């Protein structure tokens, strides 16, 4: 009986700690679902499970896409081999962005949690730019 009370108390404390660090700029924020970062039609979040969410995004040419650190520690947003646009942006916290001017398919990955390639693997994603 006593041990179950302690377990409940620990669970409650853990929930409070999770709630306290839900800020979008915290490298420890979020719990699988993206924490303080909510994806939009032009924004991709990183997650605590080391993924980009969503992993695929379709935008019109000329759109600026933003990536926000929603958890999982420090990331990068890096163009994969063969991508028509090249960029390599550190995303330890906050946001980074890139404007896609030309229609096409743009693979990107995180240098910390993914592997470059055609296509990349691990923590990666694809931007489809439509005319
Ligand atoms: Cu990463």
């Amino acid at each position: 009986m006593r041990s179950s009370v302690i377990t409940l108390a620990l669970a409650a404390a853990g929930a409070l700690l999770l709630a306290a660090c839900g800020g979008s700029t915290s490298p420890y924020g979020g719990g699988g679902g993206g924490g303080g970062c909510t994806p939009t039609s032009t924004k991709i979040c990183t997650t605590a499970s080391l993924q980009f969410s969503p992993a695929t995004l379709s935008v019109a040419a000329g759109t600026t896409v933003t990536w926000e650190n929603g958890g999982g520690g420090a990331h990068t947003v890096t163009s994969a081999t063969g991508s028509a646009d090249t960029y390599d942006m550190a995303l330890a916290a906050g946001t980074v962005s890139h404007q896609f001017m030309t229609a096409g398919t743009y693979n990107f990955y995180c240098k910390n949690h993914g592997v470059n390639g055609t296509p990349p693997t691990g923590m990666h994603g694809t931007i489809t730019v439509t005319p």
Side-chain angles (χ1 to χ4, degrees):
M1 186 60 190
R2 179 174 295 167
S3 64
S4 65
V5 170
I6 291 171
T7 301
L8 279 173
L10 287 173
L16 284 173
L17 282 171
L18 282 174
C21 64
S24 60
T25 57
S26 166
Y28 308 108
C37 181
T38 302
T40 70
S41 59
T42 59
K43 186 172 81 174
I44 296 170
C45 299
T46 70
T47 72
S49 54
L50 306 180
Q51 294 177 317
F52 290 105
S53 176
T56 61
L57 192 68
S58 181
V59 299
T63 299
T64 297
V65 175
T66 299
W67 291 261
E68 179 173 336
N69 192 320
H75 305 283
T76 75
V77 179
T78 305
S79 53
T81 296
S83 178
D85 281 14
T86 56
Y87 46 86
D88 182 11
M89 303 179 286
L91 183 57
T95 63
V96 294
S97 59
H98 179 80
Q99 186 175 21
F100 292 89
M101 296 304 296
T102 306
T105 301
Y106 298 85
N107 292 321
F108 62 91
Y109 71 107
C110 167
K111 290 198 293 188
N112 298 339
H113 307 114
V115 179
N116 193 10
T118 314
T121 57
M123 185 174 181
H124 70 284
T126 304
I127 308 291
T128 301
V129 179
T130 57

